[in-house]
Structure formats: structure tokens, C-alpha cells
Amino acid sequence: MSDFTYEDVAKMIDHSLLNPTLSRDDLEAGIQLALAYDVASVCILPYYLKTCSERLAGSTVKASTTIGFPHGGHTTAIKRAEAEQAVADGCQELDMVVNISQVLSGDWDYVRQDIAAVIEVAHAAGQKVKVIFENCYLNDEQKIRLCEICTELKADWVKTSTGYGTGGATHADLELMRKHAGAEVQVKAAGGVRDLDALLAVRELGVTRCGASRTSDMLNEARTRLGLSPITAVASGNAGY
């Protein structure tokens, strides 16, 4: 017997539609794929968020987008404005990138205020925030400090990566983040989780969300292992990072 249900793994996945070369047709196909597989959310290019939220209305799939993506170097005022626009467009989960430059510079007051600005906007609207560290550029001390700040600010998730850095989620980083983030802060893996076994492995580490572009492959494999029929209604849309 498998130790997971289909819903267990499907609701771990944020289907990623962030590649800048995706056309509107690609984005629409990706949204339909996410609905067909009943994933946790669609993380989509900001300009298409409003349309995405309309397409997802009435479903259990949430609309999500990015803030300060992918480099994190936007001013705090711009990140706040992006968050306000995202909320107005129906965003339920905001994936924001920390100011990596300021983390590396050790300006923790700036980093804290930058994260707080986005969390304040999202939480005031009843929505959630995932804080992206981009761990491939950081040392463990910096990752731990970010976990502490996110816990103090009541972030909803801490997240490993954008998918555009030099590396993605590692087991070592996920274990570190789960250990040092508060119990109420969830952990999201992004980058490098490309099949069902990898998804199940990070689940064992306490990960509750995973950014994915190979959604149909992973979830059809899950359905096969569970004795369920694969979903074949959606032929495209498996194009994320």
C-alpha cells in the first residue's frame, strides 16, 4: 500500500508558468492542466494573473504569482506595489524574492523591512506569502537568519529557490530550513524536483509545497502507483521554469 493519497501529492504542487517565453496559449494550457490535475496552485507570470484567477474561480486550485522576481533587487516600494497589484488581481499566494544583495551585505534591518512590506499587504488581504531565499548564493548562517526573520514576521512558507539561480532545492537545505523555521512556517522546495520519487523524498523532509513544471508526469505516475487511471484530457501546458 502506498503511504500517500493522490490528493496528498497533488496538493503539494504549485504548477509553474514563469518561463518568459510562454505564450498566452501556453499559459491557458497550463492553467487547464493545473485544473485537470487539481494541484495546489498555479504560479503564473504577473501580467496574466488576473485572467488566471478568473479561470480558477470556483476550483480548489489557488492563483499565485511572483514578487521581485527573479533577482530580488527591486526596491521595497516596488515590491509593495507589486503585492498590492497582485492582491487586486486575485492572487491568493505571493512568492517573493528576498533582496539577495542585502542578505549578502548583512543588512538584516533592510531585509526584514523588505519582507515585512509584502507580508503586510498579503496578510491584510487574507492571503499568504512564500519567501524565496535563493539558497545557491547563500551560506548556512544566512539561510538560518532568514528562517528566523520569516518566523518572526509570520511568513507562511520559506522557499529554497526561484528556479533561475545556479541551483535548486537540496535535501540539506530543506532539512536546515525545516529545522530553523518556526513550526507554523511551511517549507517549499523549488528547482530540481522532477519526478514522483523526488517529490515523495522531499515530502518526507517536511516539505508541503513544491514548484513544478513536470506536473503531469509526476501526477500520472502517482495515479498509476495508486491504481488510478492517468489523466489524458490535457495534452500540453507542461512548461514551467
Side-chain angles (χ1 to χ4, degrees):
M1 294 290 290
S2 298
D3 64 351
F4 64 90
T5 67
Y6 178 76
E7 184 178 15
D8 287 338
V9 290
K11 289 305 185 184
M12 284 184 67
I13 292 180
D14 291 341
H15 186 56
S16 171
L17 295 170
L18 297 173
N19 189 312
T21 65
L22 293 174
S23 68
R24 292 194 303 272
D25 286 346
D26 293 329
L27 297 175
E28 286 289 343
I31 293 166
Q32 293 308 310
L33 184 149
L35 284 167
Y37 287 92
D38 195 25
V39 299
S41 84
V42 175
C43 194
I44 201 162
L45 293 168
Y47 92 92
Y48 214 70
L49 172 64
K50 185 174 182 180
T51 299
C52 179
S53 67
E54 292 168 354
R55 300 283 189 267
L56 297 177
S59 77
T60 63
V61 182
K62 298 184 184 301
S64 61
T65 196
T66 54
I67 306 296
F69 196 85
H71 303 303
H74 303 56
T75 64
T76 299
I78 293 300
K79 287 181 179 177
R80 179 185 288 275
E82 283 187 301
E84 290 169 346
Q85 184 65 55
V87 166
D89 287 344
C91 194
Q92 295 164 284
E93 297 178 355
L94 291 70
D95 290 41
M96 73 159 292
V97 187
V98 301
N99 189 308
I100 300 162
S101 173
Q102 289 286 50
V103 171
L104 295 173
S105 300
D107 192 340
W108 295 111
D109 287 340
Y110 184 103
V111 171
R112 180 188 176 90
Q113 291 167 11
D114 193 58
I115 297 170
V118 175
I119 291 177
E120 179 182 328
V121 171
H123 284 185
Q127 312 303 356
K128 297 183 177 181
V129 176
K130 307 182 191 96
V131 181
I132 306 171
F133 293 4
E134 202 68 292
N135 284 337
C136 58
Y137 301 129
L138 310 180
N139 61 39
D140 284 356
E141 182 180 351
Q142 291 160 340
K143 297 167 196 173
I144 291 169
R145 185 69 188 108
L146 284 171
C147 284
E148 292 170 346
I149 289 171
C150 288
T151 300
E152 293 164 7
L153 295 175
K154 302 186 186 305
D156 301 285
W157 279 268
V158 288
K159 177 177 170 182
T160 59
S161 325
T162 63
Y164 287 93
T166 58
T170 67
H171 284 202
D173 278 344
L174 293 168
E175 290 170 343
L176 183 81
M177 293 166 79
R178 183 60 282 161
K179 178 179 179 180
H180 292 282
E184 69 282 4
V185 181
Q186 299 178 67
V187 178
K188 176 177 174 179
V193 180
R194 297 188 174 92
D195 57 40
L196 179 61
D197 287 330
L199 183 66
L200 294 174
V202 299
R203 180 172 179 259
E204 287 297 311
L205 299 177
V207 170
T208 61
R209 287 290 184 88
C210 181
S213 58
R214 292 174 171 84
T215 299
S216 62
D217 295 338
M218 288 193 286
L219 292 183
N220 274 337
E221 174 63 21
R223 294 181 69 84
T224 297
R225 293 190 195 182
L226 292 166
L228 303 172
S229 299
I231 294 172
T232 57
V234 180
S236 63
N238 228 17
Y241 290 136

